[in-house]
Structures are given as C-alpha cells and as structure tokens.
Amino acid sequence: MLSLDSRTPAGLRGTRPSSSRSGPHDGDLTEITSILFTSLSRTDQGTKAMHYLRGLLETPGRKSIRNIAALLGEQVSEQNLHHFISGSTWDWIPVRRALADHWIDAQPPRAWVVQPVIIPKTGRHTVGVDRHFVPTLGQVMNAQRAIGVWAASDNASTPINWRLHLPRAWLKDSLRRTQAAIPDSAPVETFSESVIAAVRESVTRWRLPIRPFVLDSCEVHAVPVFERLHAAGMPLLVSVCEDQPLTVADPALPAAGKEPLTAEQIMIMAGALRRPVPAGPHEPGKPPRAHWAATVRVSGPSLPGPSAGQGDALLLGVGEEGGRWPAKLWLTNLSSAPPASLVLLSSLAQQVDRDFTDIADRVGIRDFSGRSFDGWHRHVTLASAAHAVVASAGNGR
C-alpha cells in the first residue's frame, strides 16, 4: 500500500516553454493521443488533452495546472486548462477503456492488481479529503483515499481504472457535494465496498479479459472482499492478516474440521508442507533470495468449499529462506494453481508498487488539488495515460 509522496523532486525534466515546443515524447504522444482521445467530441478538447499529457510528462516537479501552463507557454492558458480538467463535460470513462484496450494489446496482463492509494493533502477542500488512520505509518493524516486497478505483467504495469473513496462526511454534506459537483449516483460506502465496486466496474462493465485479481493491502477487510468477489465468479489472490480466523479443511493437518485458528497458526502448523519455489522478480540491485511456500485448504462461513463448484479456498503462506515463517499470507480461490505460480502472481503487487513510485508519482498521479470530483477523475485518467507512455518506452514498445 502506498502512503507517502515518494516523487523524485525534479520530476521528468522538459525543455523551456515555447509556443512551438517539441519534447522527448513527441512520437509516443502522437501515437497514444490518436488512440485515446477519439471519444472527445471537439477538436480543441483533443488538443488540450495532448497539451495536458505533455505537461504531465515534461513539467519539472509538481504537476499542478499552473506549472503545466507555465511549461507550455503560449499553447494554452492556465484558465483554459483548468476549465478543461475541472469544468468541461468530456467523459473520462471512454478514455480509460481505450487505454485499457491499447495496453492489453501491447502488453497482455497476467493479472489485474488492485492497489489502494493514500494521497496526503494539507487542506480540507480537495474533493474527498478526510482524516484517516494509515496502518503502514501508524498515524492519522489528512488525505484522500483511492483505488487503482492496474494491468500487470512481469515487466510492466499501468493503471487502467480508478475510484475515489468519498467519506460519509462528504456525501452527507449538501454544500460540499454541490461545491465538488459530486454526482447523485455516488453512494455512501465503506472503503472495502469501494474496492469491490472498482473491481466489478472494470470487469463486468468493461468486459476485460478474465485474469486473477491480486489485492495486497492492510487497508481493506480481506475476507469480505474475497467473499463478494468470489461470489461474482472472479479469480482472486488476496492478502490476509496474521490474526484472520479460518477453519482448516485440509485432511493433511490434524486441526481439520476443528475450531477456527488464526491464519498464522494454521501456516505454522503447515510448516512441514512448505516447498522451495522460484523467487520471481526481485528488487533491482539486490540478489534474489529463495522462497518457500505452502498451501492449506481452509473454510469459513462464506468461503468456497467443495460444494460451491468454483474451487476451494486456499491459504497460501510465503517466506524467504532463513527468514520468518510465514512472512506473508494470502487467500485464493485458484485451487488448481501450484504454489510456485501463486507466489509469482503475488509478486505482481510489488511490480505495481515499484511502477507507482518510479513512474506514476513522477507524472503527477497524486498532484490534483482542485475541488471538483470530475476534475480529479480527468486528472488521474490523463496521468494514467502519461504513465503508460513512460512504461511503454521503458519496455521497448
């Protein structure tokens, strides 16, 4: 889970402002804008979208509308750019779907990684901002919370869809709703419900290829999310906390069918079942370390079992050689997949974390500071496109 703004201070450096400026991404911009912006009804909207995309790629430091307008010089005014993002009428959903189709064709994903994101803010007027306790930091902070759905392969990933979690304090305040132009259709929902909604929109409405959903977050109540998405027929790999109660359903363990145990207790009991597995992608500059993994069939009040017809629920334990066992715990309905495949699948969450830090933050994914709900969505949509440009160039496409 990402919590702090780890952006490189200088951002992605561009050249000096000019009315006829060129930049290092000209070829990529020409290609991707011809694909992504066909849904925009007016020529000037497509032009402004390309300008904003260039600004995200080339503006040093913070990607605010003011800084982007300063970089672009005479090409577009700050006022016009602000209206294009926060006050215009263009729909971001077709742009996101075009980005998803383009990326899937270029880099077929092995999984959809669901990534909750904390966006720290200093003021209280940015849409969706509230006080939140961040478990990874152990502190309360002023922030937005959002969910990104990423298309992930072994070597690259890009965000294709977003959902901004709106706290009850915003949705029950008519003045705030009006000022931020929050649509009447936006429901009051828990953060876990926002995660479920983001996943179901990306698959059910967009009809994306069926791939496992990987979710690694201490912000989300894992089992309810698992239960709801499994019931919808989705393949899943979801991290769980050590104290998650589960019932052993695996006859290989003496606790089968008895009182529930914690996920950690179950996997410690299954220590003799663990086997070495390939380490998978590792952090650059560090040697790969051997991993161990084990799976145990488990059950719970709403977890799948042999009679569900969709595969059993498995608890996956993972640890590094010589390290703590288990270091990580996952719940999955991919009951026919070998542990080695599940470990490689889980590593895609780390791939997304690295790409977020190395690319998404540098192109300003968290830099929107306006009050407009629509503005936030348009900004993260174009920032996702900017991320795809950089990720594609980095993978030789």
Side-chain angles (χ1 to χ4, degrees):
M1 225 275 316
L2 293 157
S3 55
L4 289 181
D5 191 343
S6 53
R7 175 197 308 107
T8 301
L12 296 175
R13 299 188 179 276
T15 56
R16 68 181 183 278
S18 167
S19 59
S20 58
R21 58 173 289 112
S22 61
H25 301 286
D26 284 357
D28 296 321
L29 281 171
T30 299
E31 178 186 1
I32 203 164
T33 54
S34 67
I35 295 169
L36 300 189
F37 303 140
T38 56
S39 62
L40 301 185
S41 58
R42 302 201 314 264
T43 302
D44 65 307
Q45 289 179 334
T47 301
K48 289 173 184 175
M50 185 174 68
H51 286 159
Y52 197 80
L53 193 54
R54 181 187 292 281
L56 293 171
L57 289 165
E58 299 176 12
T59 299
R62 185 172 180 79
K63 309 305 186 289
S64 67
I65 288 177
R66 174 171 296 178
N67 290 344
I68 291 173
L71 176 89
L72 297 173
E74 299 173 9
Q75 292 187 49
V76 63
S77 70
E78 181 181 345
Q79 181 178 0
N80 286 341
L81 207 56
H82 181 272
H83 179 267
F84 172 70
I85 294 298
S86 294
S88 187
T89 58
W90 63 273
D91 188 355
W92 59 83
I93 294 296
V95 178
R96 291 184 188 176
R97 295 187 66 170
L99 175 61
D101 291 341
H102 171 66
W103 187 267
I104 290 167
D105 288 342
Q107 184 81 9
R110 287 211 300 117
W112 310 115
V113 174
V114 186
Q115 184 197 55
V117 179
I118 289 288
I119 308 173
K121 296 293 178 183
T122 54
R124 61 180 297 271
H125 298 296
T126 300
V127 60
V129 164
D130 205 353
R131 301 288 290 171
H132 299 289
F133 176 73
V134 183
T136 53
L137 300 177
Q139 67 183 56
V140 176
M141 65 190 309
N142 207 52
Q144 294 169 308
R145 292 199 297 178
I147 301 100
V149 178
W150 292 60
S153 63
D154 293 334
N155 301 315
S157 64
T158 200
I160 58 167
N161 197 19
W162 291 93
R163 190 175 185 89
L164 179 65
H165 179 254
L166 296 169
R168 178 179 292 270
W170 275 82
L171 294 173
K172 294 299 184 181
D173 186 327
S174 58
L175 178 60
R176 274 180 156 183
R177 286 194 77 132
T178 300
Q179 289 176 335
I182 296 172
D184 294 338
S185 59
V188 176
E189 59 189 11
T190 66
F191 191 65
S192 295
E193 288 169 339
S194 289
V195 170
I196 293 167
V199 170
R200 298 197 68 169
E201 177 183 44
S202 302
V203 172
T204 306
R205 297 184 188 176
W206 294 11
R207 298 183 181 179
L208 296 179
I210 300 300
R211 298 289 185 275
F213 276 90
V214 178
L215 171 62
D216 182 10
S217 173
C218 57
E219 282 276 294
V220 178
H221 298 297
V223 170
V225 170
F226 184 96
E227 292 167 352
R228 291 273 301 277
L229 294 179
H230 172 80
M234 298 181 186
L236 301 164
L237 181 65
V238 178
S239 65
V240 294
C241 297
E242 298 168 352
D243 59 355
Q244 175 63 51
L246 296 167
T247 300
V248 177
D250 197 321
L253 295 183
K258 297 182 180 179
E259 292 296 316
L261 300 171
T262 68
E264 183 180 45
Q265 288 173 330
I266 293 172
M267 199 48 61
I268 290 174
M269 187 181 300
L273 302 178
R274 59 185 174 176
R275 297 290 183 269
V277 296
H282 61 281
E283 189 173 345
K286 294 185 178 180
R289 298 180 63 180
H291 282 62
W292 293 80
T295 57
V296 174
R297 187 155 55 88
V298 295
S299 64
S302 301
L303 294 180
S307 62
Q310 293 178 302
D312 298 343
L314 294 181
L315 178 65
L316 168 70
V318 183
E320 291 184 346
E321 185 177 13
R324 179 173 170 268
W325 175 262
K328 191 77 176 179
L329 293 159
W330 300 82
L331 196 61
T332 183
N333 57 3
L334 299 169
S335 55
S336 62
S341 296
L342 295 174
V343 171
L344 288 173
L345 197 61
S346 72
S347 70
L348 295 179
Q350 300 169 26
Q351 173 72 47
V352 166
D353 278 347
R354 288 194 294 270
D355 285 351
F356 192 107
T357 299
D358 295 343
I359 304 175
D361 252 341
R362 294 174 64 199
V363 299
I365 201 79
R366 292 191 280 193
D367 283 355
F368 181 77
S369 58
R371 182 174 286 180
S372 164
F373 174 84
D374 288 354
W376 183 87
H377 275 284
R378 294 191 184 109
H379 170 83
V380 297
T381 298
L382 295 176
S384 297
H387 176 108
V389 169
V390 177
S392 295
N395 282 274
R397 295 190 302 277

